[in-house]
């Protein structure tokens, strides 16, 4: 179980604030109860999403929310139905920053995220309602403004290519933790990967922690595995390959 490994690591790294004994104990207790110990705030780049899905076009010029995912459980309470009226005060903000890129006027994306991930996140008192869950996701999205972090470090959508080191350095210099940077990889013979999704992780107190890059956690990606136009599914970016950060198409 992950908390045991965390505590073993902490014994060797007491300078890490995440290693406080009380924090370790809380993580262990939550784990034994089957509760989550980590949340993944996931943002995706709309241009890449639509290029993969082939069913949408967008002029959105900022990273949008994909979801807030606990590391324990999926669809934990399918009888707890999504009810948009409970978050009606959040809807305008969600339409802008957490849009359904395929069906912009639909609430099905939010329903799906609540059913799959929100009902599990709700095991914690801090997220035990639809309003708490969606509002916390929006709060974290704005707090850890990925669009501005990249822009401030001169990582902007363009026809030029970046290295994974460029992107990692830009993000790490601000957050001081390891994130998971994911790309759409080219098919056979391809030479460029496309920046698609970035995951930022927080603990039960919503404090930043390192994300893991192990392939075992790729399951958390809700974008279907695809192989369209010679491109393979979204996965952790490759250090050996240039990264393309596609710009928003100019309006004619």
């Amino acid at each position: 179980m992950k908390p045991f490994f965390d505590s073993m690591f902490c014994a060797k790294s007491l300078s890490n604030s995440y290693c406080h004994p009380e924090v370790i104990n809380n993580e262990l207790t939550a784990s034994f109860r089957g509760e989550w110990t980590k949340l993944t705030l996931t943002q995706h780049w709309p241009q890449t999403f639509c290029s993969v899905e082939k069913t949408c076009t967008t002029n959105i010029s900022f990273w949008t929310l994909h979801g807030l995912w606990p590391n324990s459980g999926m669809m934990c309470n399918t009888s707890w139905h999504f009810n948009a009226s409970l978050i009606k005060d959040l809807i305008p903000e969600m339409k802008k920053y957490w849009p359904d890129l395929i069906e912009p006027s639909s609430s099905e994306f939010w329903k799906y995220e609540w059913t799959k991930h929100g009902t599990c996140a709700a095991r914690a008192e801090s997220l035990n309602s639809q309003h708490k869950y969606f509002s916390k996701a929006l709060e974290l999205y704005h707090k850890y403004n990925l669009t501005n972090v990249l822009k401030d470090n001169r990582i902007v959508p363009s026809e030029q290519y970046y290295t994974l080191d460029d992107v990692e350095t830009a993000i790490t210099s601000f957050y001081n933790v390891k994130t998971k940077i994911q790309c759409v990889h080219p098919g056979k013979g391809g030479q460029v990967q496309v920046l698609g999704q970035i995951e930022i992780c927080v603990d039960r107190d919503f404090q930043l922690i390192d994300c893991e890059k192990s392939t075992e956690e790729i399951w958390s990606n809700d974008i279907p595995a695809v192989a369209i136009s010679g491109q393979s599914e979204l996965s952790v970016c490759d250090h050996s390959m240039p990264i393309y950060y596609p710009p928003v198409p100019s309006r004619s």
Side-chain angles (χ1 to χ4, degrees):
M1 298 173 67
K2 289 179 186 175
F4 285 113
F5 291 107
D6 288 343
S7 62
M8 289 170 63
F9 173 77
C10 290
K12 299 178 181 179
S13 181
L14 296 178
S15 62
N16 188 337
S17 60
Y18 185 58
C19 297
H20 190 282
E22 183 178 344
V23 174
I24 296 172
N25 183 62
N26 289 342
E27 298 293 301
L28 288 169
T29 301
S31 182
F32 281 126
R33 290 176 178 170
E35 299 175 1
W36 54 269
T37 57
K38 178 179 72 175
L39 289 170
T40 300
L41 180 73
T42 307
Q43 300 176 52
H44 52 193
W45 181 238
Q47 301 306 318
T48 301
F49 178 88
C50 285
S51 71
V52 169
E53 288 297 307
K54 303 293 185 183
T55 56
C56 59
T57 58
T58 180
N59 289 314
I60 296 175
S61 59
F62 47 85
W63 288 74
T64 59
L65 263 169
H66 185 171
L68 183 64
W69 305 334
N71 67 333
S72 176
M74 287 189 290
M75 298 186 178
C76 296
N77 186 352
T78 55
S79 65
W80 194 349
H81 300 299
F82 174 77
N83 184 346
S85 68
L86 298 176
I87 56 169
K88 58 185 179 180
D89 59 313
L90 302 176
I91 295 296
E93 189 177 2
M94 290 175 65
K95 284 184 175 180
K96 181 174 182 178
Y97 298 114
W98 200 339
D100 184 331
L101 296 169
I102 298 175
E103 297 283 348
S105 61
S106 172
S107 62
E108 284 300 307
F109 180 34
W110 304 329
K111 176 182 177 181
Y112 175 80
E113 289 295 311
W114 167 253
T115 303
K116 184 175 182 180
H117 301 294
T119 55
C120 299
R123 287 173 170 173
E125 183 178 355
S126 56
L127 298 176
N128 65 358
S129 72
Q130 291 182 46
H131 197 278
K132 286 182 180 180
Y133 173 72
F134 286 107
S135 62
K136 177 57 71 173
L138 289 166
E139 176 191 328
L140 293 172
Y141 168 82
H142 290 299
K143 182 177 182 179
Y144 304 121
N145 189 316
L146 188 56
T147 304
N148 287 349
V149 168
L150 291 172
K151 182 179 179 181
D152 290 347
N153 285 275
R154 299 182 181 180
I155 306 294
V156 296
S158 71
E159 295 300 329
Q160 76 175 80
Y161 298 153
Y162 300 96
T163 66
L164 180 53
D165 283 341
D166 292 334
V167 181
E168 284 185 330
T169 299
I171 293 173
T172 304
S173 65
F174 182 82
Y175 298 122
N176 293 315
V177 293
K178 295 178 181 178
T179 59
K180 185 188 291 183
I181 304 170
Q182 298 173 314
C183 292
V184 176
H185 295 267
K188 185 177 181 180
Q191 299 180 341
V192 178
Q193 57 192 336
V194 183
L195 186 61
Q197 182 165 276
I198 296 177
E199 299 180 0
I200 301 169
C201 299
V202 297
D203 62 18
R204 288 178 65 86
D205 295 318
F206 309 111
Q207 299 302 305
L208 288 171
I209 57 174
D210 288 340
C211 292
E212 298 176 27
K213 293 185 178 180
S214 61
T215 54
E216 289 81 0
E217 291 199 1
I218 297 299
W219 66 268
S220 65
N221 171 22
D222 282 332
I223 295 180
V226 294
I228 299 174
S229 301
Q231 294 179 326
S232 61
E233 64 189 85
L234 196 68
S235 60
V236 174
C237 300
D238 188 338
H239 270 281
S240 67
M241 189 175 293
I243 290 178
Y244 177 50
Y245 185 7
V248 178
S250 58
R251 295 182 179 179
S252 56

